[in-house]
Amino acid sequence: MEDGTVERVRPRDRILETAQDMFHKHGIKGVGIDAITEAAGTNKMTLYRHFDSKDDLIIQCLRATACKAGAMWEKFEVQHPGNKLAQLHAWVRMAADCLTADGRGCDMANAAIELTDTDHPARRVIKELKEAQRDRLVTLCRDAGIGQAELLADTLSLLLEGARVSVQSVGTEGPSAQFVRMAEGLIVSFRGTAAG
Amino acid sequence: MEDGTVERVRPRDRILETAQDMFHKHGIKGVGIDAITEAAGTNKMTLYRHFDSKDDLIIQCLRATACKAGAMWEKFEVQHPGNKLAQLHAWVRMAADCLTADGRGCDMANAAIELTDTDHPARRVIKELKEAQRDRLVTLCRDAGIGQAELLADTLSLLLEGARVSVQSVGTEGPSAQFVRMAEGLIVSFRGTAAG
DNA sequence: CTAGGGTGTTACCGGTCTGTAACGTCATGA
DNA sequence: TCATGACGTTACAGACCGGTAACACCCTAG
């Protein structure tokens, strides 16, 4: 049978899933290849048959995580079809949920901080994915009828980025606790000054 | 002569200074003890005579960095004595300078992201120092006559934190480029809604 | 049945890491 | 002069790291 849908999850997928989870929880430099393969129920050789190196694995993990995050946006469209303003508010709620539930920040931002070498191959991937993320939020703001869509999107981006970092340094009771109020206030404010 | 002011910089201070710089540039896990001692022109034994462990060194570095940052606040008071609103604007300018000049974010935030173990001894120090930083900004906002001082201070904190992270993932041309406009806009907005 | 590809196992390489032991050097101060 | 203490040097321990080689296994497609 040539249907590719195998029941048992292939080692490559188990590795990718496990690595995402462990990188997220313990950081990239805080997790070794051996720990990943063991947690994934496989071994080092199999990992290196599917990924060129740890750096390659890191990049694939970042792409996979971004892909999952992308699915969120489709959920917004499904939940509020055509209503871009409602989708923007849904984005705020989703962001707030990330803050309280997660404890660890954005994988891409964390990776950018950990991988200090500016020539690291993951850096351009991080930049690429973050820019795509930004474009998406800008478009949503614009479609929601916000005048200065770029400025609102950038402000919300920085607020969320900062909140996700703040959670890790001072916890959920710190400044990030006010994230929703800040974001909603900004949206109201920008809608007030709306333009064509 | 029993005056403690020795001309030659003591090894402990050289180590502390060098470690701060290298931790900042390359991250905590990206720098080894050997590299620090070599750059400081000393050796490993001397380091371990002054610091209990690498974790201890990390903590001392964070405290020293926070101390330097504290000196900035005194500069604001000197430059604009009594004028708290001017000091708040000076804080915004200082923050913006950090963004364009540095390339690497806040040492405390970076450390919080790198040291994923919640029991790590540096974590409570980070939280302590970050909370002190927040209190300072809240006080400044309140003294500047802002009504919702806590909310403005928290918003500015998150914006800056996010901007310092964003610089590392997408560079200075990303959302962080609008930091000053965002911050100044917020201050104006909060002064508009000022209360007693 | 058979060949081959995906997988598992073990062992290993060279390097790096934190931290310590033992000893030698040197300046200072009594 | 001599003792003390700070500092430097070398070597090492023990662990972990990323990555590779060689070989055995087993399921499946043909």
Side-chain angles (χ1 to χ4, degrees):
Chain A
M1 316 173 180
E2 53 272 300
D3 69 326
T5 64
V6 189
E7 297 302 321
R8 190 167 55 87
V9 182
R10 312 280 276 174
R12 197 197 120 96
D13 297 326
R14 296 204 311 266
I15 291 171
L16 206 55
E17 206 71 26
T18 307
Q20 281 177 71
D21 183 56
M22 296 186 75
F23 284 153
H24 178 74
K25 284 180 185 162
H26 308 110
I28 290 173
K29 294 188 182 173
V31 175
I33 297 294
D34 294 288
I36 293 172
T37 55
E38 185 185 344
T42 177
N43 56 77
K44 198 154 44 171
M45 274 312 301
T46 300
L47 186 147
Y48 279 106
R49 287 187 189 110
H50 289 288
F51 303 94
D52 294 341
S53 61
K54 186 179 181 181
D55 285 349
D56 182 32
L57 176 61
I58 292 168
I59 290 174
Q60 302 307 327
C61 282
L62 290 174
R63 291 202 185 280
T65 301
C67 193
K68 287 181 187 173
M72 287 282 188
W73 290 79
E74 299 170 12
K75 214 178 70 178
F76 297 157
E77 180 62 44
V78 171
Q79 288 177 339
H80 309 280
N83 188 344
K84 297 298 181 180
L85 187 60
Q87 290 180 32
L88 184 56
H89 284 105
W91 180 90
V92 172
R93 278 195 304 276
M94 183 271 296
D97 288 344
C98 272
L99 293 178
T100 56
D102 196 37
R104 284 279 295 172
C106 166
D107 288 340
M108 283 174 271
N110 291 356
I113 288 174
E114 274 199 275
L115 307 176
T116 59
D117 184 2
T118 50
D119 294 332
H120 195 287
R123 295 301 291 257
R124 64 182 308 277
V125 177
I126 292 169
K127 185 171 182 182
E128 166 197 324
L129 295 174
K130 272 288 178 190
E131 283 172 350
Q133 221 172 57
R134 172 181 183 269
D135 289 345
R136 224 158 178 169
L137 190 58
V138 169
T139 301
L140 181 56
C141 287
R142 199 186 333 265
D143 292 349
I146 306 291
Q148 294 179 289
E150 289 87 355
L151 190 56
L152 176 58
D154 286 346
T155 308
L156 292 175
S157 292
L158 292 193
L159 272 184
L160 176 56
E161 201 89 83
R164 297 196 74 171
V165 173
S166 176
V167 164
Q168 297 182 77
S169 52
V170 297
T172 53
E173 306 302 317
S176 67
Q178 306 297 324
F179 172 78
V180 171
R181 196 196 302 192
M182 299 172 189
E184 296 292 350
L186 279 169
I187 294 174
V188 168
S189 171
F190 273 74
R191 269 170 53 88
T193 65
Chain B
M1 315 174 177
E2 53 274 297
D3 68 326
T5 65
V6 190
E7 298 301 322
R8 191 166 56 87
V9 182
R10 312 279 277 173
R12 196 198 120 97
D13 297 327
R14 297 204 311 267
I15 292 171
L16 206 54
E17 205 70 28
T18 307
Q20 280 177 73
D21 182 57
M22 298 187 73
F23 283 153
H24 178 74
K25 285 180 185 161
H26 311 296
I28 291 174
K29 294 188 181 172
V31 176
I33 297 294
D34 293 288
I36 293 173
T37 55
E38 186 185 343
T42 178
N43 57 77
K44 198 154 45 171
M45 275 312 302
T46 299
L47 185 148
Y48 279 107
R49 285 188 190 109
H50 289 289
F51 303 94
D52 294 340
S53 61
K54 185 179 181 180
D55 285 349
D56 182 34
L57 176 61
I58 293 167
I59 291 174
Q60 302 307 327
C61 282
L62 290 174
R63 290 201 185 280
T65 302
C67 193
K68 287 181 188 173
M72 288 281 188
W73 290 78
E74 298 170 13
K75 214 177 70 178
F76 297 157
E77 180 62 45
V78 171
Q79 288 178 338
H80 309 279
N83 188 344
K84 297 296 181 180
L85 186 60
Q87 292 180 32
L88 184 56
H89 284 104
W91 180 90
V92 172
R93 278 194 304 276
M94 182 271 296
D97 289 343
C98 273
L99 293 178
T100 57
D102 195 39
R104 284 279 295 172
C106 166
D107 288 339
M108 283 174 272
N110 291 355
I113 287 173
E114 274 199 276
L115 308 176
T116 59
D117 184 1
T118 50
D119 295 333
H120 195 286
R123 295 301 292 258
R124 64 181 309 277
V125 177
I126 293 168
K127 185 172 182 181
E128 167 197 323
L129 295 174
K130 272 286 178 190
E131 282 172 350
Q133 221 172 57
R134 173 181 184 268
D135 290 344
R136 224 158 178 170
L137 191 57
V138 169
T139 300
L140 181 56
C141 287
R142 199 189 329 268
D143 292 348
I146 306 290
Q148 293 180 289
E150 290 86 355
L151 189 56
L152 175 58
D154 285 347
T155 308
L156 291 176
S157 292
L158 293 192
L159 272 184
L160 176 56
E161 200 89 83
R164 297 196 74 171
V165 173
S166 175
V167 164
Q168 298 182 77
S169 51
V170 297
T172 52
E173 306 301 318
S176 67
Q178 306 297 325
F179 171 78
V180 172
R181 197 195 302 191
M182 299 172 188
E184 295 293 350
L186 278 168
I187 294 175
V188 168
S189 171
F190 272 74
R191 270 171 51 88
T193 65

